[in-house]
Amino acid sequence: MHNLHITAQQIRIFEAVSRHLSYTKAAEELNLSQPAVSVQVKRLEENNDVKLIEVIGKKLYLTSAGEHMFKTCTSILGELKDLTAYIRNEQDSIEGELKLAVVTPAKYFIPYVLKAFLNKYPDVTPSITVVNRRRILDELKQNQYHLTVMGRVPAELKMEAFPFFKNELVMVAPPNHPLAKHKQIPLSEIVNEKFLMRESGSGIRIALEERLAQENYVIQPYMELGSTESIKQGVMAGLGISVIPRHAVRIEAKYGHLTVLDVQGFPLSRDWYIAKMQDKVLMPPAVAFLDFLKSVDINKLLVMSDTR
């Protein structure tokens, strides 16, 4: 078995060249000469008897080994960045990167939470990725985020999760809907409506289907739409009704753009969770964010934002 011969400088250089697919741009980023960058990549290849980069028609392409090397170098540099942040934060200053993934419906309240958090910890650099549940599950396995906000914690992944906010799912309709002013509408009057729904496997859709199943109802969606925002727009346009988190429609309901129906068994109450992979060691910014979520009144934050 051959040992890999690579220096810390070569890791930085190869990662930059692979990211830019350019010796010149990598050299500019690293404040090195272009020949110095080329020499280091060539030396890396020769010392390990492997071809990492191919030049075809003046364009750079990573070989299969090069792709693997790029991922490894990116991971190593990420770990070093976290280590640097950890060492700095040992001096009682919370700073560094906070990488959050949030499922789509959470984007309607997380920015307000993050603003309050950054008021307290201004040296933290946040990065929010809004994705659907299916993509989050794939990317969690690749260790891409520090923390994840989700409505359902997947049983198939080893995760630690903490409930921090009640997620009320309400049934919404256009303001001129015939049932808009009715009280305690039975499900039997609802199931024949045209339902706008998220894709199969979405947390909100699962919650609705479970509620309907309690009374032996099964519905087929009139339309499947890819985001909470597109469903809201569809409801306001009069295409049908839907089930949406209350916090996602609070502005539209306040100004009469849609109405929350009074349906028996609704709102459905679910928890929002902040979760991490079980073996993930959190850096101080992520630890601080976790502690913040356990102490903050999110409903109060949202009310304050709506009255500005």
Side-chain angles (χ1 to χ4, degrees):
M1 187 173 108
H2 298 289
N3 291 325
L4 180 67
H5 299 285
I6 187 169
T7 66
Q9 177 76 331
Q10 286 170 343
I11 289 173
R12 290 189 180 89
I13 288 173
F14 186 78
E15 187 276 336
V17 171
S18 300
R19 179 161 35 85
H20 291 294
L21 289 176
S22 167
Y23 290 116
T24 304
K25 289 181 180 177
E28 289 172 358
E29 179 182 306
L30 299 171
N31 293 317
L32 297 170
S33 69
Q34 192 266 348
V37 169
S38 300
V39 165
Q40 286 296 326
V41 173
K42 186 174 176 61
R43 192 169 293 166
L44 175 60
E45 291 180 323
E46 290 173 348
N47 289 346
N48 294 285
D49 192 25
V50 64
K51 191 67 177 170
L52 300 171
I53 291 177
E54 295 176 323
V55 182
I56 302 173
K58 296 186 178 180
K59 285 191 175 182
L60 270 60
Y61 297 90
L62 296 180
T63 64
S64 178
E67 291 278 6
H68 197 75
M69 178 73 79
F70 176 43
K71 287 180 183 176
T72 302
C73 289
T74 302
S75 177
I76 290 170
L77 291 174
E79 292 291 337
L80 286 172
K81 193 174 179 182
D82 283 347
L83 177 60
T84 301
Y86 183 82
I87 291 170
R88 284 180 183 164
N89 289 325
E90 282 292 287
Q91 301 165 352
D92 294 329
S93 169
I94 304 295
E95 61 180 51
E97 195 173 25
L98 171 64
K99 290 191 281 190
L100 291 176
V102 303
V103 293
T104 309
K107 72 179 183 181
Y108 293 99
F109 69 86
I110 280 294
Y112 301 98
V113 177
L114 198 57
K115 180 65 171 68
F117 173 74
L118 293 174
N119 287 342
K120 190 173 181 180
Y121 300 105
D123 294 325
V124 172
T125 306
S127 168
I128 301 181
T129 303
V130 180
V131 291
N132 63 32
R133 177 181 167 83
R134 190 172 301 161
R135 184 177 147 197
I136 276 189
L137 298 188
D138 290 338
E139 294 184 354
L140 278 173
K141 296 171 188 174
Q142 300 170 31
N143 196 27
Q144 294 201 25
Y145 309 110
H146 297 141
L147 293 166
T148 303
V149 175
M150 53 176 50
R152 283 174 172 265
V153 182
E156 65 268 29
L157 297 182
K158 292 182 179 177
M159 302 191 75
E160 292 177 6
F162 310 92
F164 69 94
F165 182 37
K166 282 295 178 189
N167 181 22
E168 286 195 341
L169 303 178
V170 295
M171 198 166 291
V172 294
N176 59 354
H177 193 279
L179 296 175
K181 298 190 185 307
H182 290 215
K183 299 295 182 185
Q184 283 296 290
I185 306 162
L187 280 181
S188 58
E189 284 190 47
I190 289 291
V191 290
N192 293 321
E193 294 286 330
K194 293 177 178 177
F195 272 84
L196 311 184
M197 298 171 73
R198 289 290 303 274
E199 69 281 359
S200 182
S202 121
I204 295 173
R205 179 163 172 172
I206 291 170
L208 172 60
E209 288 172 343
E210 287 177 348
R211 172 69 185 99
L212 293 171
Q214 289 173 2
E215 298 192 30
N216 297 317
Y217 291 120
V218 177
I219 60 171
Q220 292 300 318
Y222 175 62
M223 286 187 187
E224 284 189 3
L225 297 167
S227 69
T228 302
E229 188 60 36
S230 58
I231 287 177
K232 275 202 303 185
Q233 296 299 326
V235 172
M236 288 189 286
L239 291 174
I241 70 171
S242 190
V243 171
I244 297 181
R246 189 189 293 277
H247 56 258
V249 295
R250 65 187 193 282
I251 302 299
E252 291 81 1
K254 179 178 178 180
Y255 291 103
H257 299 309
L258 49 71
T259 187
V260 176
L261 297 178
D262 183 3
V263 179
Q264 290 178 5
F266 283 79
L268 304 177
S269 184
R270 299 290 186 271
D271 283 313
W272 280 112
Y273 291 90
I274 186 80
K276 74 176 188 73
M277 297 301 288
Q278 201 169 71
D279 298 328
K280 179 78 173 173
V281 178
L282 295 181
M283 294 297 104
V287 173
F289 189 67
L290 257 181
D291 292 340
F292 181 77
L293 283 182
K294 292 175 182 177
S295 64
V296 71
D297 184 340
I298 294 176
N299 281 312
K300 188 175 179 181
L301 284 181
L302 296 177
V303 169
M304 288 171 60
S305 73
D306 290 348
T307 55
R308 284 174 191 161

